Amino acid sequence: MTEALLGFLAIFVLALLRMPLAFSMGLVGIVGIGLTRGWMPAMASAAQVVHETGFAYTLSVIPLFILMGNFVARAGLAHELFHAAYTFIGHRKGGLAHATIAACAGFGAICGSSIATAATMSKVAYPSIAAGGTLGIMIPPSTILVIYGIITETHIGKLFAAGVLPGILTALLLMLAVVVMTWQDPEHAPAGEKFSWAERFKAIQGIWGVLLLVVLVLGGIYGGFFTATEGAGMGATGAFLFALARKALNWEVLLEVLVESARTTAMLFTLLIAATIFANFVNYTSLPFELKDWITGLGLSPIMIVAAMMLIYVLLGTVMEELTMVLLTIPLFFPIVVQLGFDPVWFGVLIVMVIQIGLISPPVGMNLFVLNTLLPQVGLSNIFKGVWPMVLVLVITLGILLAFPSISLWLPSMMD
Amino acid sequence: MSLTLKKIFETVCGTLAGLALLGIMVLTFFDVSGRKILSNSIPGSLELTELLMVVVIFGALPLVSLKGEHVVFDSLDAVLPVWFQKIQQGLIHLACAALLFGLAYLMWQTGADIASTGETTAQLKIPKAPFIQGMGVLCGLTALVHIVKAFSRQADAASEGGTL
């Protein structure tokens, strides 16, 4: 057990020294196996992980969904989504804020990246509410759900289905928070103008194609017509044709989108490979068993154990980069959750919720930094102040999802 | 690194990885529509995707390092003096380079072993060794990028979790 704990410590030290996380995890994993099992097995297992992760057909789902999101983003869809949402609900109190959250939810359905959603939406909408950006990772196709599905070997289609209702619930609760906030402070959230139904339908015209594409791709995956990889490939092609039809692509832009997506893929796979090597090392040690024994020996009820894990995540998430936090802890937490008899799909949704919270909670909230870069005149301290109610709403949502697993599990249960 | 060399490097790696990704997309599209509509899939599409995935990942890896896009904790940057950060980043780049050179050697050797057994993909009989040795070459290139960065004066910009 000591070896594994030293391993975690070494990763933190290396990471604090600014070594990229992937390299820290990979190095510690290889050295760890080398010292405990011998250097030949360490080399062999590292080579095998690189080889297997590189040549994995099912993993091509990751670059394909990234590509789909980037094509749609490049087609300039965000602005139109926002406009469409605005024509429907903009005339209410805090209309701008409501429209932002609704549009974020819509964009999240296409993009799967919280940061991209926040960055895209904040360019077109009111800043303090872009907490809605985090919806991008709950509402499928979510990058983080794909990664969770891959490392835990959980059905990705089911994970996507599980994310739908929690994503909608989060959007509704965020909008409810806006209602409360505007009720207290009406001047800061003026109502927008009212639009006629004719104008509303006109606003939808620009985006129905993409919405249809999302429905077809996700519907196909839920319905079992496509595997996740096939759906992602069809979605990426559809998004490519969509961008082409909009004249948003020339050779230069096309290559740019492709390279950008490939870079994101390479970055994620480096992390994935390194995390797998490190997890192999941890699994050689006695830590997973002893942790399992210790936790089950505490006599807590199973739901309390999961709640405690969530608390740890929320606290860690305020200071740590969220994807890393998940990659490091899944090898330890996941076996316990499964042994307690919980559904891995449900735990995946909780993990995404926790990451959403981490992304917007100060002091290390990535979405807030993105906002700050895009809107320097607002100031980071103002953004921090404005976001607390949203953090609270997300924590409440997490509590609801924890207490009522059926919100997450009802849709996936329809797939059996 | 001189600007032209950097440009050529970026173009070559980018085109390689980008076209491979486009290839996966097109291949999946025709494979799936062929299977669902004409009940006739593209032979070997699965293993072609696997080979192309390797090109996407390892072709883009040098670019990720070049642009400093790996996930990094930079919380201490605010409190550390600039001269210290420069030395620290130089050493870290060298450590990354050493690790990548090790990996490059390892993959080259693995590839050589596979070449001697003549292992190919199951359906199309494409030799696997060049791809595995290619991984090694590109890891080596990435290591070179880190070495160049270790001795360049430009500090790394902050980057964190760009994909969540």
Side-chain angles (χ1 to χ4, degrees), chain A residues 147-155 159 330 334 344:
Chain A
I147 293 176
Y148 174 86
I150 286 164
I151 49 182
T152 63
E153 295 176 353
T154 308
H155 193 288
L159 283 170
I330 288 271
F334 187 74

Side-chain angles (χ1 to χ4, degrees), chain A residues 114-276:
Chain A
S114 163
I115 289 172
T117 308
T120 319
M121 294 315 299
S122 63
K123 284 180 198 155
V124 291
Y126 194 66
S128 74
I129 315 296
T134 61
L135 287 168
I137 54 174
M138 178 63 91
I139 295 179
S142 137
T143 321
I144 194 78
L145 277 180
V146 172
I147 293 176
Y148 174 86
I150 286 164
I151 49 182
T152 63
E153 295 176 353
T154 308
H155 193 288
I156 292 173
K158 284 191 178 175
L159 283 170
F160 280 177
V164 175
L165 289 181
I168 294 172
L169 177 70
T170 315
L172 289 178
L173 287 176
L174 284 173
M175 286 163 105
L176 190 68
V178 171
V179 171
V180 173
M181 280 158 83
T182 50
W183 180 58
Q184 284 180 336
D185 189 5
E187 283 150 47
H188 276 93
E193 51 194 311
K194 199 171 166 105
F195 290 85
S196 71
W197 279 99
E199 286 169 308
R200 289 173 183 175
F201 280 116
K202 200 165 163 243
I204 294 185
Q205 264 179 7
I207 54 169
W208 69 268
V210 160
L211 294 182
L212 183 72
L213 176 72
V214 172
V215 169
L216 284 181
V217 168
L218 295 181
I221 295 175
Y222 300 150
F225 186 69
F226 296 136
T227 64
T229 313
E230 291 172 350
M234 299 311 265
T237 313
F240 165 70
L241 295 175
F242 178 78
L244 204 62
R246 288 230 173 169
K247 304 196 170 43
L249 291 180
N250 54 33
W251 283 109
E252 208 178 319
V253 174
L254 173 64
L255 192 65
E256 220 175 279
V257 171
L258 287 169
V259 175
E260 204 180 294
S261 310
R263 287 209 315 268
T264 308
T265 307
M267 192 274 279
L268 279 176
F269 273 74
T270 331
L271 271 173
L272 209 60
I273 289 171
T276 314

Side-chain angles (χ1 to χ4, degrees), chain A residues 51-409:
Chain A
H51 181 215
E52 279 176 3
T53 317
F55 282 99
Y57 169 76
T58 46
L59 295 187
S60 64
V61 63
I62 295 180
L64 289 173
F65 270 133
I66 293 173
L67 193 58
M68 171 176 161
N70 283 345
F71 274 132
V72 172
R74 201 52 80 97
L77 183 89
H79 205 276
E80 283 167 44
L81 262 178
F82 175 71
H83 182 64
Y86 189 67
T87 56
F88 275 87
I89 46 180
H91 59 283
R92 294 175 195 279
K93 267 191 183 168
L96 214 46
H98 287 300
T100 310
I101 294 175
C104 280
F107 195 71
I110 303 153
C111 191
S113 155
S114 163
I115 289 172
T117 308
T120 319
M121 294 315 299
S122 63
K123 284 180 198 155
V124 291
Y126 194 66
S128 74
I129 315 296
T134 61
L135 287 168
I137 54 174
M138 178 63 91
I139 295 179
S142 137
T143 321
I144 194 78
L145 277 180
V146 172
I147 293 176
Y148 174 86
I150 286 164
I151 49 182
T152 63
E153 295 176 353
T154 308
H155 193 288
I156 292 173
K158 284 191 178 175
L159 283 170
F160 280 177
V164 175
L165 289 181
I168 294 172
L169 177 70
T170 315
L172 289 178
L173 287 176
L174 284 173
M175 286 163 105
L176 190 68
V178 171
V179 171
V180 173
M181 280 158 83
T182 50
W183 180 58
Q184 284 180 336
D185 189 5
E187 283 150 47
H188 276 93
E193 51 194 311
K194 199 171 166 105
F195 290 85
S196 71
W197 279 99
E199 286 169 308
R200 289 173 183 175
F201 280 116
K202 200 165 163 243
I204 294 185
Q205 264 179 7
I207 54 169
W208 69 268
V210 160
L211 294 182
L212 183 72
L213 176 72
V214 172
V215 169
L216 284 181
V217 168
L218 295 181
I221 295 175
Y222 300 150
F225 186 69
F226 296 136
T227 64
T229 313
E230 291 172 350
M234 299 311 265
T237 313
F240 165 70
L241 295 175
F242 178 78
L244 204 62
R246 288 230 173 169
K247 304 196 170 43
L249 291 180
N250 54 33
W251 283 109
E252 208 178 319
V253 174
L254 173 64
L255 192 65
E256 220 175 279
V257 171
L258 287 169
V259 175
E260 204 180 294
S261 310
R263 287 209 315 268
T264 308
T265 307
M267 192 274 279
L268 279 176
F269 273 74
T270 331
L271 271 173
L272 209 60
I273 289 171
T276 314
I277 294 177
F278 181 69
N280 281 350
F281 161 60
V282 170
N283 288 334
Y284 277 136
T285 69
S286 56
L287 182 66
F289 294 107
E290 287 179 35
L291 191 70
K292 206 149 73 175
D293 284 350
W294 180 69
I295 286 180
T296 41
L298 284 177
L300 291 169
S301 69
I303 193 80
M304 288 301 291
I305 295 174
V306 177
M309 285 177 183
M310 291 302 123
L311 186 67
I312 294 173
Y313 274 137
V314 171
L315 294 178
L316 271 181
T318 59
V319 291
M320 237 177 116
E321 199 277 326
E322 285 75 22
L323 179 61
T324 319
M325 171 176 92
V326 170
L327 286 174
L328 279 177
T329 50
I330 288 271
L332 294 177
F333 284 180
F334 187 74
I336 299 175
V337 171
V338 173
Q339 199 193 336
L340 291 172
F342 289 117
D343 194 320
V345 172
W346 173 66
F347 192 65
V349 171
L350 294 183
I351 294 256
V352 173
M353 203 60 223
V354 156
I355 292 180
Q356 285 187 300
I357 296 170
L359 281 170
I360 62 160
S361 45
V364 186
M366 197 52 211
N367 279 14
L368 304 181
F369 295 145
V370 172
L371 275 184
N372 188 43
T373 336
L374 294 169
L375 303 154
Q377 71 278 13
V378 178
L380 200 56
S381 61
N382 272 336
I383 294 180
F384 279 5
K385 257 184 256 164
V387 84
W388 276 116
M390 299 300 163
V391 175
L392 192 67
V393 169
L394 292 186
V395 171
I396 293 171
T397 319
L398 174 65
I400 296 176
L401 295 177
L402 195 63
F404 303 102
S406 52
I407 299 175
S408 316
L409 295 176

Side-chain angles (χ1 to χ4, degrees), chain A residues 11-12 14-24 26-27 30 42-44 46-47 50-51 53-61 63-64 66-67 71 112-116 136-137 143-144 224-227 229-234 236-238 240-241 251 254-255 257-259 261-271 273 277 319-324 355 359 364 366 369, chain B residues 10-11 13-19 21-26 28-33 35-37 45-47 49-65 67 69-77 80 84-85 88-89 91-93 95-97 99-100 102-103 106-107 110 114 119 121 128 131-132 135 139 142 146 156-164:
Chain A
I11 290 180
F12 279 108
L14 286 172
L16 277 180
L17 290 173
R18 222 179 189 286
M19 182 174 230
L21 250 134
F23 295 110
S24 315
L27 184 65
I30 294 175
M43 296 297 153
V50 176
H51 181 215
T53 317
F55 282 99
Y57 169 76
T58 46
L59 295 187
S60 64
V61 63
L64 289 173
I66 293 173
L67 193 58
F71 274 132
S113 155
S114 163
I115 289 172
I137 54 174
T143 321
I144 194 78
F225 186 69
F226 296 136
T227 64
T229 313
E230 291 172 350
M234 299 311 265
T237 313
F240 165 70
L241 295 175
W251 283 109
L254 173 64
L255 192 65
V257 171
L258 287 169
V259 175
S261 310
R263 287 209 315 268
T264 308
T265 307
M267 192 274 279
L268 279 176
F269 273 74
T270 331
L271 271 173
I273 289 171
I277 294 177
V319 291
M320 237 177 116
E321 199 277 326
E322 285 75 22
L323 179 61
T324 319
I355 292 180
L359 281 170
V364 186
M366 197 52 211
F369 295 145
Chain B
E10 277 193 63
T11 314
C13 288
T15 313
L16 192 69
L19 288 184
L21 182 53
L22 187 68
I24 295 178
M25 182 186 98
V26 173
T28 314
F29 175 75
F30 283 109
D31 184 46
V32 175
S33 30
R35 187 148 15 108
K36 304 285 179 191
I37 301 168
S45 64
L46 205 127
E47 48 192 57
T49 301
E50 291 186 346
L51 296 175
L52 287 171
M53 275 298 286
V54 171
V55 181
V56 172
I57 299 165
F58 288 87
L61 186 60
L63 296 180
V64 178
S65 285
K67 293 184 183 276
E69 289 177 327
H70 290 292
V71 179
V72 167
F73 281 118
D74 43 21
S75 319
L76 289 187
D77 284 7
L80 294 174
F84 181 84
Q85 284 186 41
Q88 174 199 16
Q89 288 187 12
L91 290 177
I92 289 296
H93 277 305
C96 292
L99 183 64
L100 283 161
L103 196 63
L106 189 63
M107 292 326 286
T110 313
I114 287 180
E119 192 185 327
T121 60
K128 282 179 90 174
F131 286 87
I132 297 171
M135 285 181 181
C139 282
T142 314
H146 281 283
D156 281 343
S159 72
E160 198 191 346
T163 47
L164 288 177

